[in-house]
């Protein structure tokens, strides 16, 4: 007696079509991501004018037409590069796990994060420098720019409130101003490190130099928020 042959179950046409669609969508997303990553590096190295579509497509191992297909134009691609740059920093800021019950230590941690992020992500610095040279005309066209207002400001607000309640911080200082102080001191140092190194005759990128500046920023911010006499608005301390 011969064995009864078993039936082979085949996928339905609908399931097969769904798999093919999923594969195509994944391939499209991979292509798009590769272009975005390549554009980030190219724009950071050559600026907006020098970052040509040809350079980007070559770096992405893709084709010029794919840039126009996914991003519409070189400017559209640059805007998405800026958005992605801000998004990555915001994601990192959102992961800060601070004990606001210890506001001095928490504020130091925020400072170390911001200064360290600039140091570890030089492309962030160069891309923002490029956009500031263009007076923000590209990012101003972004529909998502407002979504990326820094979470660090809210974090600092909570830290300041805790410190003020405990009498450790002055009450006439805002989270916005403290954030700008931290960002300014960290950003300026990294943005101008090459020219400043030449001007000062010392390498500002050595481990010791970077550690010293981080400590100086921490000390400066803590002195700023420490309790003390308030100055009338619009007045500055005498030299």
């Amino acid at each position: 007696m011969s064995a009864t042959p078993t039936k082979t179950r085949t996928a339905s046409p609908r399931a097969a079509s769904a798999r093919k669609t999923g594969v195509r969508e994944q391939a499209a997303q991979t292509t798009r991501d590769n272009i975005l990553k390549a554009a980030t590096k190219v724009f950071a190295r050559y600026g907006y004018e020098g970052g040509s579509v040809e350079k980007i497509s070559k770096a992405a191992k893709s084709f010029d037409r794919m840039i126009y297909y996914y991003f519409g134009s070189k400017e559209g691609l640059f805007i998405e590069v800026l958005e992605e740059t801000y998004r990555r920093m915001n994601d990192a800021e959102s992961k800060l796990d601070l004990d606001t019950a210890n506001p001095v230590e928490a504020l130091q941690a925020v400072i170390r994060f911001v200064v360290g992020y600039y140091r570890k992500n030089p492309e962030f610095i160069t891309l923002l420098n490029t956009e500031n040279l263009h007076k923000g005309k590209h990012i101003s066209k972004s529909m998502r720019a407002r979504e990326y207002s820094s979470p660090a400001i809210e974090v600092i607000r909570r830290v300041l409130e805790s410190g003020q309640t405990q009498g450790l911080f002055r009450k006439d200082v805002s989270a916005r101003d403290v954030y700008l102080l931290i960002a300014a001191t960290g950003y300026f140092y990294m943005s101008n490190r090459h020219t400043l190194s030449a001007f000062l005759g010392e390498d500002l990128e050595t481990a010791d130099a970077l550690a010293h500046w981080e400590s100086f920023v921490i000390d400066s911010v803590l002195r700023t928020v420490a309790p003390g006499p308030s100055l009338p608005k619009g007045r500055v301390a005498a030299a």
Side-chain angles (χ1 to χ4, degrees):
M1 181 182 290
S2 61
T4 302
T6 59
K7 292 183 178 180
T8 302
R9 179 175 293 180
T10 59
S12 68
R14 181 178 296 178
S17 176
R19 280 201 300 271
K20 288 180 181 178
T21 299
V23 170
R24 286 197 298 269
E25 288 177 349
Q26 183 59 49
Q29 187 61 49
T30 298
T31 299
R32 195 179 192 283
D33 290 344
N34 288 341
I35 292 172
L36 197 59
K37 289 176 183 177
T40 299
K41 293 182 181 299
V42 170
F43 284 133
R45 181 175 181 181
Y46 298 102
Y48 181 73
E49 285 80 7
S52 66
V53 168
E54 290 77 13
K55 286 189 179 83
I56 294 168
S57 59
K58 182 178 180 181
K61 297 180 180 179
S62 185
F63 303 96
D64 294 359
R65 68 177 183 274
M66 301 308 292
I67 292 176
Y68 295 109
Y69 177 78
Y70 287 113
F71 301 96
S73 65
K74 173 182 167 179
E75 183 182 42
L77 175 56
F78 185 61
I79 290 171
E80 290 214 32
V81 165
L82 293 173
E83 290 175 344
E84 179 66 11
T85 299
Y86 279 113
R87 186 195 63 76
R88 287 200 302 269
M89 184 173 187
N90 276 21
D91 285 351
E93 287 177 343
S94 298
K95 293 175 183 176
L96 282 171
D97 185 17
L98 305 173
D99 180 9
T100 56
N102 295 296
V104 174
E105 291 80 0
L107 186 55
Q108 290 181 38
V110 174
I111 297 168
R112 290 193 183 95
F113 166 79
V114 174
V115 174
Y117 191 90
Y118 293 154
R119 183 175 66 248
K120 296 171 187 175
N121 296 273
E123 290 177 352
F124 181 82
I125 298 292
T126 53
L127 287 168
L128 264 60
N129 283 346
T130 294
E131 181 59 359
N132 277 295
L133 285 173
H134 288 87
K135 300 182 179 180
K137 74 175 184 178
H138 302 108
I139 196 62
S140 66
K141 298 176 183 179
S142 168
M143 302 299 292
R144 296 189 294 172
R146 291 296 181 90
E147 297 176 14
Y148 303 125
S149 58
S150 177
I153 297 178
E154 176 58 23
V155 170
I156 292 172
R157 185 189 64 77
R158 296 198 302 268
V159 171
L160 288 178
E161 285 181 352
S162 176
Q164 289 162 350
T165 299
Q166 297 179 47
L168 298 173
F169 297 155
R170 64 195 305 160
K171 295 185 177 181
D172 61 339
V173 65
S174 72
R176 169 191 173 276
D177 290 347
V178 172
Y179 177 76
L180 286 177
L181 175 59
I182 298 168
T185 49
Y187 185 96
F188 179 85
Y189 185 98
M190 293 308 299
S191 177
N192 296 276
R193 63 195 183 280
H194 302 299
T195 52
L196 286 172
S197 292
F199 179 77
L200 296 173
E202 57 181 287
D203 186 356
L204 296 185
E205 290 192 89
T206 66
D208 287 344
L210 291 168
H212 169 77
W213 186 248
E214 182 181 271
S215 296
F216 183 80
V217 175
I218 290 173
D219 182 67
S220 299
V221 174
L222 291 180
R223 286 174 183 270
T224 297
V225 302
S230 301
L231 291 171
K233 289 186 177 180
R235 296 280 299 279
V236 294

PDB file of all heavy atoms in Angstrom, residues 63-74:
ATOM      1  N   PHE A  63      21.425  57.034  -5.335  1.00  0.00           N
ATOM      2  CA  PHE A  63      21.337  57.817  -6.556  1.00  0.00           C
ATOM      3  C   PHE A  63      20.711  59.173  -6.260  1.00  0.00           C
ATOM      4  O   PHE A  63      19.898  59.313  -5.345  1.00  0.00           O
ATOM      5  CB  PHE A  63      20.492  57.080  -7.608  1.00  0.00           C
ATOM      6  CG  PHE A  63      21.007  55.711  -7.934  1.00  0.00           C
ATOM      7  CD1 PHE A  63      20.485  54.592  -7.298  1.00  0.00           C
ATOM      8  CD2 PHE A  63      22.027  55.542  -8.862  1.00  0.00           C
ATOM      9  CE1 PHE A  63      20.953  53.325  -7.590  1.00  0.00           C
ATOM     10  CE2 PHE A  63      22.514  54.275  -9.164  1.00  0.00           C
ATOM     11  CZ  PHE A  63      21.975  53.167  -8.524  1.00  0.00           C
ATOM     12  N   ASP A  64      21.089  60.171  -7.065  1.00  0.00           N
ATOM     13  CA  ASP A  64      20.567  61.522  -6.858  1.00  0.00           C
ATOM     14  C   ASP A  64      19.038  61.524  -6.833  1.00  0.00           C
ATOM     15  O   ASP A  64      18.417  62.211  -6.023  1.00  0.00           O
ATOM     16  CB  ASP A  64      21.049  62.460  -7.973  1.00  0.00           C
ATOM     17  CG  ASP A  64      22.549  62.671  -7.949  1.00  0.00           C
ATOM     18  OD1 ASP A  64      23.219  62.109  -7.061  1.00  0.00           O
ATOM     19  OD2 ASP A  64      23.053  63.408  -8.826  1.00  0.00           O
ATOM     20  N   ARG A  65      18.447  60.774  -7.732  1.00  0.00           N
ATOM     21  CA  ARG A  65      16.986  60.797  -7.847  1.00  0.00           C
ATOM     22  C   ARG A  65      16.299  60.322  -6.570  1.00  0.00           C
ATOM     23  O   ARG A  65      15.165  60.735  -6.278  1.00  0.00           O
ATOM     24  CB  ARG A  65      16.527  59.953  -9.040  1.00  0.00           C
ATOM     25  CG  ARG A  65      16.744  58.459  -8.898  1.00  0.00           C
ATOM     26  CD  ARG A  65      16.186  57.699 -10.096  1.00  0.00           C
ATOM     27  NE  ARG A  65      16.332  56.263  -9.943  1.00  0.00           N
ATOM     28  CZ  ARG A  65      17.414  55.575 -10.289  1.00  0.00           C
ATOM     29  NH1 ARG A  65      18.450  56.210 -10.816  1.00  0.00           N
ATOM     30  NH2 ARG A  65      17.464  54.264 -10.113  1.00  0.00           N
ATOM     31  N   MET A  66      16.977  59.449  -5.787  1.00  0.00           N
ATOM     32  CA  MET A  66      16.379  58.957  -4.558  1.00  0.00           C
ATOM     33  C   MET A  66      16.294  60.066  -3.500  1.00  0.00           C
ATOM     34  O   MET A  66      15.371  60.086  -2.680  1.00  0.00           O
ATOM     35  CB  MET A  66      17.173  57.772  -4.010  1.00  0.00           C
ATOM     36  CG  MET A  66      17.268  56.604  -4.974  1.00  0.00           C
ATOM     37  SD  MET A  66      15.656  56.075  -5.613  1.00  0.00           S
ATOM     38  CE  MET A  66      14.892  55.418  -4.145  1.00  0.00           C
ATOM     39  N   ILE A  67      17.233  60.999  -3.538  1.00  0.00           N
ATOM     40  CA  ILE A  67      17.190  62.140  -2.612  1.00  0.00           C
ATOM     41  C   ILE A  67      15.970  62.993  -2.907  1.00  0.00           C
ATOM     42  O   ILE A  67      15.236  63.391  -2.001  1.00  0.00           O
ATOM     43  CB  ILE A  67      18.488  62.958  -2.722  1.00  0.00           C
ATOM     44  CG1 ILE A  67      19.657  62.130  -2.174  1.00  0.00           C
ATOM     45  CG2 ILE A  67      18.364  64.296  -1.990  1.00  0.00           C
ATOM     46  CD1 ILE A  67      21.014  62.794  -2.310  1.00  0.00           C
ATOM     47  N   TYR A  68      15.738  63.255  -4.171  1.00  0.00           N
ATOM     48  CA  TYR A  68      14.576  64.061  -4.559  1.00  0.00           C
ATOM     49  C   TYR A  68      13.275  63.291  -4.294  1.00  0.00           C
ATOM     50  O   TYR A  68      12.257  63.901  -3.925  1.00  0.00           O
ATOM     51  CB  TYR A  68      14.679  64.451  -6.031  1.00  0.00           C
ATOM     52  CG  TYR A  68      15.853  65.364  -6.314  1.00  0.00           C
ATOM     53  CD1 TYR A  68      16.965  64.908  -7.012  1.00  0.00           C
ATOM     54  CD2 TYR A  68      15.862  66.672  -5.850  1.00  0.00           C
ATOM     55  CE1 TYR A  68      18.048  65.740  -7.257  1.00  0.00           C
ATOM     56  CE2 TYR A  68      16.936  67.514  -6.095  1.00  0.00           C
ATOM     57  CZ  TYR A  68      18.030  67.041  -6.797  1.00  0.00           C
ATOM     58  OH  TYR A  68      19.097  67.873  -7.027  1.00  0.00           O
ATOM     59  N   TYR A  69      13.319  61.979  -4.451  1.00  0.00           N
ATOM     60  CA  TYR A  69      12.117  61.163  -4.225  1.00  0.00           C
ATOM     61  C   TYR A  69      11.700  61.196  -2.754  1.00  0.00           C
ATOM     62  O   TYR A  69      10.517  61.370  -2.432  1.00  0.00           O
ATOM     63  CB  TYR A  69      12.382  59.721  -4.659  1.00  0.00           C
ATOM     64  CG  TYR A  69      11.220  58.785  -4.410  1.00  0.00           C
ATOM     65  CD1 TYR A  69      10.116  58.780  -5.253  1.00  0.00           C
ATOM     66  CD2 TYR A  69      11.230  57.909  -3.326  1.00  0.00           C
ATOM     67  CE1 TYR A  69       9.033  57.925  -5.025  1.00  0.00           C
ATOM     68  CE2 TYR A  69      10.160  57.060  -3.080  1.00  0.00           C
ATOM     69  CZ  TYR A  69       9.068  57.077  -3.933  1.00  0.00           C
ATOM     70  OH  TYR A  69       8.003  56.241  -3.694  1.00  0.00           O
ATOM     71  N   TYR A  70      12.674  61.048  -1.852  1.00  0.00           N
ATOM     72  CA  TYR A  70      12.346  60.949  -0.426  1.00  0.00           C
ATOM     73  C   TYR A  70      12.278  62.304   0.279  1.00  0.00           C
ATOM     74  O   TYR A  70      11.548  62.449   1.266  1.00  0.00           O
ATOM     75  CB  TYR A  70      13.375  60.072   0.295  1.00  0.00           C
ATOM     76  CG  TYR A  70      13.234  58.612  -0.011  1.00  0.00           C
ATOM     77  CD1 TYR A  70      14.210  57.928  -0.732  1.00  0.00           C
ATOM     78  CD2 TYR A  70      12.116  57.900   0.397  1.00  0.00           C
ATOM     79  CE1 TYR A  70      14.087  56.579  -1.029  1.00  0.00           C
ATOM     80  CE2 TYR A  70      11.978  56.542   0.101  1.00  0.00           C
ATOM     81  CZ  TYR A  70      12.960  55.892  -0.600  1.00  0.00           C
ATOM     82  OH  TYR A  70      12.822  54.553  -0.895  1.00  0.00           O
ATOM     83  N   PHE A  71      13.041  63.283  -0.212  1.00  0.00           N
ATOM     84  CA  PHE A  71      13.144  64.544   0.534  1.00  0.00           C
ATOM     85  C   PHE A  71      12.702  65.769  -0.269  1.00  0.00           C
ATOM     86  O   PHE A  71      12.643  66.865   0.285  1.00  0.00           O
ATOM     87  CB  PHE A  71      14.578  64.738   1.035  1.00  0.00           C
ATOM     88  CG  PHE A  71      15.046  63.619   1.930  1.00  0.00           C
ATOM     89  CD1 PHE A  71      15.786  62.562   1.418  1.00  0.00           C
ATOM     90  CD2 PHE A  71      14.722  63.615   3.278  1.00  0.00           C
ATOM     91  CE1 PHE A  71      16.204  61.523   2.238  1.00  0.00           C
ATOM     92  CE2 PHE A  71      15.139  62.590   4.106  1.00  0.00           C
ATOM     93  CZ  PHE A  71      15.882  61.534   3.587  1.00  0.00           C
ATOM     94  N   GLY A  72      12.437  65.601  -1.543  1.00  0.00           N
ATOM     95  CA  GLY A  72      11.928  66.696  -2.358  1.00  0.00           C
ATOM     96  C   GLY A  72      12.979  67.593  -2.940  1.00  0.00           C
ATOM     97  O   GLY A  72      12.908  67.992  -4.096  1.00  0.00           O
ATOM     98  N   SER A  73      13.975  67.940  -2.135  1.00  0.00           N
ATOM     99  CA  SER A  73      15.027  68.854  -2.591  1.00  0.00           C
ATOM    100  C   SER A  73      16.208  68.769  -1.631  1.00  0.00           C
ATOM    101  O   SER A  73      16.114  68.141  -0.562  1.00  0.00           O
ATOM    102  CB  SER A  73      14.501  70.297  -2.611  1.00  0.00           C
ATOM    103  OG  SER A  73      14.186  70.726  -1.292  1.00  0.00           O
ATOM    104  N   LYS A  74      17.299  69.400  -2.009  1.00  0.00           N
ATOM    105  CA  LYS A  74      18.457  69.458  -1.120  1.00  0.00           C
ATOM    106  C   LYS A  74      18.086  70.183   0.167  1.00  0.00           C
ATOM    107  O   LYS A  74      18.476  69.764   1.268  1.00  0.00           O
ATOM    108  CB  LYS A  74      19.607  70.175  -1.828  1.00  0.00           C
ATOM    109  CG  LYS A  74      20.823  70.447  -0.946  1.00  0.00           C
ATOM    110  CD  LYS A  74      21.894  71.193  -1.717  1.00  0.00           C
ATOM    111  CE  LYS A  74      22.964  71.760  -0.805  1.00  0.00           C
ATOM    112  NZ  LYS A  74      24.015  72.476  -1.554  1.00  0.00           N
TER     113      LYS A  74
END
